[in-house]
Amino acid sequence: MLGLEISVGSFSMSSVMTSSVHGLSGWSYKNPYHFNATTLIKPLPSLEDMMALLKSSLTLSQAAIVAFFSILADSGLHASMMYYLKARFHYNKDQFADLMVITGIAWTISQLLLMPTLAPVIREERLLAIGLLFSCVHMFLYGFAWSAWVPYVVAMFSILYVFAQPSLRSIVSKQGKAQGFISGICSLANVISPLIFSPLTALFLSEKAPFNFPGFGIVCIGFAALIAFIQSSLIRSTPPISRYGASIFEEA
């Protein structure tokens, strides 16, 4: 006799075969590919667990601050830059295309030549600080730009400020289970950054600006990158998070 069992929350199959041969009363078989759906659904770590994880590693806390403010600055710049250049210097689609080409070439040179050459010599903490430093300079120059040719020169700085994100990902990758936490912080920064900097940029480009400084919104974005740079300069090493910090996510 062959029977099929289905239990709530899991899928299991068992077959029961009864035979009178050699006096055997029965034989049962359980599927080795037993799948329990409840093991895939785990509770999310609480806010207290998150705070305990941050306290368990100074490097993780510093990386979280750097990640938040660097993504806040990058997202704010991407959300506001095209509007700022069009309103400030009357850029058209051809000029925007030129800037994208310059930036793309600079990124390619950086990723293919500079980073592979410098990474074995300079620690990722220093590469992160260098990238964020030039990111600050890049944003401040955009904010203080006095002529339409300035953004073309500033776009060349991307050959160095592109160091920031790969170096940050390398540092975070050493934190094990905390990578998801850092990704959540970056996602939060991506959401709130346009909500802050886009209206601010539009305000100072309008006639209702409190004072005459069209690039004030871009300069504020530069200050966010400056906070990330200052914090990145304090990162000394990247040890893995403590056993307690890892257990928070393993037990969750």
Side-chain angles (χ1 to χ4, degrees), residues 4 35 59 67 70 73 86 88 133 168 223 231:
L4 178 66
F35 172 74
T59 301
S70 64
K86 184 173 180 59
R88 182 82 170 88
L133 173 62
L168 180 60
F223 279 114
Q231 189 62 51

Side-chain angles (χ1 to χ4, degrees), residues 1 3 7 64 70 95 106 113 125 137 147 153 165 170 202 214 234 238 252:
M1 180 178 65
S7 60
S70 64
Q95 291 170 304
L113 299 177
E125 294 88 358
V137 175
S147 179
V153 177
Q165 293 307 318
S170 177
L234 301 177
T238 55

Side-chain angles (χ1 to χ4, degrees), residues 163-225:
F163 289 174
Q165 293 307 318
S167 300
L168 180 60
R169 286 193 294 268
S170 177
I171 293 172
V172 171
S173 68
K174 299 180 181 180
Q175 304 302 316
K177 296 282 185 177
Q179 293 183 60
F181 176 62
I182 299 294
S183 297
I185 291 176
C186 294
S187 298
L188 176 63
N190 271 318
V191 170
I192 67 176
S193 181
L195 301 178
I196 298 172
F197 294 116
S198 292
L200 183 63
T201 302
L203 174 63
F204 280 88
L205 288 170
S206 68
E207 296 179 354
K208 298 180 180 180
F211 49 89
N212 185 22
F213 189 177
F216 181 77
I218 306 299
V219 171
C220 290
I221 295 173
F223 279 114

Side-chain angles (χ1 to χ4, degrees), residues 16-231:
V16 181
M17 183 178 292
T18 306
S19 174
S20 61
V21 179
H22 301 298
L24 295 176
S25 59
W27 174 79
S28 63
Y29 168 76
K30 188 173 182 179
N31 184 9
Y33 301 102
H34 177 75
F35 172 74
N36 191 350
T38 59
T39 60
L40 296 181
I41 304 175
K42 297 182 179 180
L44 294 175
S46 65
L47 181 60
E48 294 180 357
D49 292 338
M50 296 291 188
M51 297 305 297
L53 180 62
L54 284 176
K55 293 177 181 178
S56 68
S57 172
L58 177 61
T59 301
L60 176 61
S61 302
Q62 293 171 328
I65 296 173
V66 171
F68 178 79
F69 282 100
S70 64
I71 297 299
L72 190 74
D74 286 344
S75 298
L77 185 67
H78 293 157
S80 307
M81 180 51 58
M82 295 183 71
Y83 176 72
Y84 168 73
L85 292 177
K86 184 173 180 59
R88 182 82 170 88
F89 301 113
H90 308 289
Y91 267 38
N92 55 37
K93 60 181 181 180
D94 295 330
Q95 291 170 304
F96 286 128
D98 292 339
L99 286 179
M100 291 179 183
V101 170
I102 294 172
T103 302
I105 293 174
W107 283 16
T108 302
I109 294 174
S110 178
Q111 297 283 348
L112 294 181
L113 299 177
L114 289 183
M115 287 204 71
T117 303
L118 296 176
V121 180
I122 305 176
R123 293 186 308 160
E124 58 228 3
E125 294 88 358
R126 301 285 72 81
L127 284 176
L128 173 62
I130 292 171
L132 290 173
L133 173 62
F134 280 92
S135 180
C136 296
V137 175
H138 168 263
M139 294 173 186
F140 285 137
L141 287 177
Y142 269 130
F144 288 103
W146 58 91
S147 179
W149 60 266
V150 175
Y152 287 97
V153 177
V154 174
M156 298 179 185
F157 280 78
S158 58
I159 197 171
L160 294 175
Y161 87 72
V162 75
F163 289 174
Q165 293 307 318
S167 300
L168 180 60
R169 286 193 294 268
S170 177
I171 293 172
V172 171
S173 68
K174 299 180 181 180
Q175 304 302 316
K177 296 282 185 177
Q179 293 183 60
F181 176 62
I182 299 294
S183 297
I185 291 176
C186 294
S187 298
L188 176 63
N190 271 318
V191 170
I192 67 176
S193 181
L195 301 178
I196 298 172
F197 294 116
S198 292
L200 183 63
T201 302
L203 174 63
F204 280 88
L205 288 170
S206 68
E207 296 179 354
K208 298 180 180 180
F211 49 89
N212 185 22
F213 189 177
F216 181 77
I218 306 299
V219 171
C220 290
I221 295 173
F223 279 114
L226 181 61
I227 295 174
F229 163 68
I230 294 173
Q231 189 62 51

